[in-house]
Amino acid sequence: MDLDPLLLSRIQFAFVISFHILFPSFTVGLACWIAVLEARWLITGKALYRSLSEFWTRIFAISFGMGVVSGIVMTYQFGTNWSRWSDIVGNVLGPLIQYEVVTAFFLEAAFLGILLFGRDRVPRGIHFLAAVLVATGTVLSSFWILSANSWMHTPAGAELRDGRFFVTDWWAVVFNPSFPYRLAHMLTAMFLTTGFVVAGISAFYLLRNRFLEHARVGLSMSLALITILAPLQIFLGDLHGLNTLEHQPAKIAAMEGHWEGGARAPLILFAIPDNEAETNHAEIAIPALSSLILTHEWDGVVPGLKNFPVADRPNPEILFWTFRIMVAIGMIMLAVALIHLVQRVRGKLYSPHWFHKVLVGCMPLGFVAILAGWFTTEIGRQPWVVYGIIRTADAVTPALTGGAVLTSLIVFMVVYTIIYGAGTYYLFRLLTIGPARLNDEDLEIPAVVQGHQPKRPLSVPGESIEPAE
């Protein structure tokens, strides 16, 4: 049996990036959450905020470390599996990735040590500044990585000469047509992912009658964030969809499951796309609604897959479903936001309730939505590695063999299962154990003068992970 190095390289890259993307998606929002807690600790002096910050900083440290490891492995594949891609786009994407390292990763690495180990060694204002700079670094990292990825979808500011791209306008490269929409949509997804984890853990503590003060603060703040961001994300998704319709119409056709396209196109709720027969089976649709959503007009014309050559079409058999998974989760998040408002108005937000069980069950939703959205984005770009210009088949390393890729893929699967299985288990252990114990006087501590340190640390190495009932 012949092993296709192109297909296996795509599977390997998808496997590695699926692991990697989960951790930055969580840590970007978590770093900002920690910065907010540090700000409240700095302003109020209430030990509760310090305790919460210490707890989530431990979670952040492990998640950040696993994200770095998987990211390093991913970048090596640019040379081992995708050397032609690296050669073709190196003049454009090489500097963007370097900017991410210089401006973001160095910032995170420089101040992460202060955040983790400087709690009682530096003034509180400096510790807060370190938290803010780490959070800024995570957002900057997202900025540069999404700029590079967006350029491959909507290339601009560069021209292809003798088989290589050369930059003609750096501003056009960085702020390419899809980048602003992709950045806003992805950052909002990251904050929602963290918000649902914090809300779910807080609800879990309330159901177990543990860490009640911590849980109330976490639940209230995270649900307030979710209530703002869930409807905003739907709005941003609509803007992103309109941008994609303009620049990548074939992707929209595959996402919507449209083969014919045209005016008054129906919104297909359910179907089984058949790529070979170029049709949908068991289709359930609402007439004209797709045209309204995509063009904001009942008679709007939408693209169909048959409008494009077969060789230029993305695969709707996968894309159709990943897109619907993402949209369905967005609707669930909106429902959670609305229920939260009702519960808050009724004064039952903190009482053990079915809603808390729902929040615990919703913890993975953000991660699933990000994976579904990422698959939608990347599979929808196929068969192009630089949309409309360079095909994925022309980007793979020429000397690569299927056996070599298969061997490395199996090794990655085994190693990732061990390392990330252990890391995820430890994360769940920390989340189950909970934050450090607070005494009654800790809950009533008055604001202190900035720069003064408490005489007694709230957590001591070796004791901070003891369960507190």
Side-chain angles (χ1 to χ4, degrees):
M1 180 180 64
D2 292 333
L3 299 174
D4 184 1
L6 172 61
L7 177 60
L8 288 172
S9 292
R10 290 182 60 193
I11 293 173
Q12 179 175 289
F13 196 83
F15 174 80
V16 173
I17 200 172
S18 294
F19 271 88
H20 173 69
I21 196 174
L22 295 178
F23 296 104
S25 299
F26 179 47
T27 54
V28 170
L30 189 57
C32 296
W33 164 240
I34 292 169
V36 171
L37 292 174
E38 286 291 320
R40 300 194 74 168
W41 157 243
L42 180 67
I43 294 170
T44 68
K46 291 184 179 180
L48 175 62
Y49 296 123
R50 169 177 167 155
S51 178
L52 270 171
S53 177
E54 289 178 337
F55 169 63
W56 287 108
T57 299
R58 290 196 294 271
I59 304 300
F60 174 84
I62 298 171
S63 303
F64 182 82
M66 290 196 288
V68 169
V69 171
S70 58
I72 292 173
V73 172
M74 185 180 65
T75 55
Y76 276 121
Q77 293 180 69
F78 295 156
T80 58
N81 296 60
W82 304 100
S83 63
R84 286 292 299 125
W85 172 85
S86 300
D87 182 44
I88 295 170
V89 304
N91 292 330
V92 178
L93 299 190
L96 295 184
I97 295 173
Q98 182 65 21
Y99 296 154
E100 189 264 342
V101 173
V102 173
T103 64
F105 189 74
F106 281 2
L107 190 65
E108 294 167 313
F111 291 94
L112 183 60
I114 298 176
L115 180 64
L116 294 178
F117 307 112
R119 171 70 68 183
D120 297 309
R121 295 177 175 86
V122 299
R124 287 195 300 148
I126 298 299
H127 197 265
F128 163 69
L129 179 62
V132 171
L133 291 175
V134 169
T136 302
T138 62
V139 174
L140 277 175
S141 180
S142 303
F143 177 95
W144 290 115
I145 294 301
L146 286 169
S147 175
N149 178 264
S150 298
W151 183 85
M152 293 193 292
H153 287 267
T154 51
E159 62 182 18
L160 191 64
R161 299 200 303 264
D162 299 324
R164 291 185 179 92
F165 281 101
F166 291 87
V167 175
T168 58
D169 184 349
W170 273 112
W171 285 106
V173 168
V174 174
F175 296 97
N176 56 81
S178 67
F179 170 60
Y181 302 94
R182 200 181 306 275
L183 178 66
H185 193 56
M186 188 64 180
L187 284 178
T188 305
M190 290 174 170
F191 291 137
L192 280 169
T193 297
T194 303
F196 271 92
V197 172
V198 174
I201 293 299
S202 301
F204 175 78
Y205 291 154
L206 288 172
L207 289 169
R208 294 297 182 91
N209 199 32
R210 304 174 65 200
F211 316 112
L212 297 182
E213 294 298 327
H214 298 85
R216 290 186 183 113
V217 170
L219 190 71
S220 178
M221 293 178 66
S222 59
L223 285 175
L225 179 70
I226 289 169
T227 301
I228 294 172
L229 293 186
L232 175 63
Q233 183 70 318
I234 295 173
F235 172 72
L236 293 173
D238 179 61
L239 293 180
H240 189 18
L242 294 177
N243 179 264
T244 305
L245 176 63
E246 178 181 356
H247 296 282
Q248 295 176 299
K251 178 193 290 188
I252 288 292
M255 288 163 52
E256 297 293 336
H258 291 314
W259 292 97
E260 303 295 339
R264 299 187 65 83
L267 176 64
I268 302 173
L269 302 177
F270 178 87
I272 303 175
D274 188 332
N275 216 16
E276 293 187 5
E278 297 186 340
T279 189
N280 295 329
H281 303 293
E283 183 176 291
I284 300 175
I286 301 176
L289 190 54
S290 183
S291 289
L292 179 64
I293 293 173
L294 290 172
T295 68
H296 296 175
E297 297 177 1
W298 286 107
D299 295 320
V301 176
V302 301
L305 283 169
K306 291 183 179 180
N307 301 143
F308 306 93
V310 175
D312 295 345
R313 300 174 189 170
N315 187 351
E317 295 176 349
I318 302 175
L319 217 56
F320 180 85
W321 289 109
T322 56
F323 175 65
R324 272 148 188 77
I325 290 171
M326 180 180 62
V327 172
I329 291 176
M331 295 298 104
I332 294 173
M333 289 180 172
L334 180 62
V336 168
L338 295 175
I339 295 172
H340 152 247
L341 290 177
V342 174
Q343 294 299 101
R344 191 180 285 270
V345 170
R346 295 177 63 194
K348 294 185 177 182
L349 187 60
Y350 306 121
S351 303
H353 195 268
W354 62 268
F355 183 48
H356 293 169
K357 296 179 181 179
V358 170
L359 291 175
V360 173
C362 285
M363 278 195 294
L365 286 186
F367 298 105
V368 177
I370 283 178
L371 282 177
W374 198 257
F375 280 126
T376 300
T377 297
E378 296 307 302
I379 295 174
R381 189 183 62 205
Q382 299 305 315
W384 308 98
V385 68
V386 178
Y387 193 79
I389 302 176
I390 305 296
R391 292 184 181 272
T392 306
D394 298 325
V396 72
T397 300
L400 193 64
T401 64
V405 184
L406 181 61
T407 300
S408 60
L409 176 59
I410 293 172
V411 171
F412 280 145
M413 288 181 173
V414 173
V415 173
Y416 272 47
T417 300
I418 296 172
I419 294 178
Y420 292 100
T424 303
Y425 171 78
Y426 187 59
L427 279 175
F428 276 109
R429 283 284 298 159
L430 288 178
L431 291 170
T432 303
I433 289 169
R437 181 182 291 110
L438 288 176
N439 297 325
D440 291 340
E441 60 268 23
D442 290 325
L443 295 174
E444 301 174 0
I445 189 170
V448 295
V449 179
Q450 180 177 347
H452 289 203
Q453 301 299 318
K455 296 180 180 179
R456 172 182 56 79
L458 291 176
S459 59
V460 180
E463 297 180 359
S464 61
I465 59 172
E466 292 180 359
E469 301 296 339

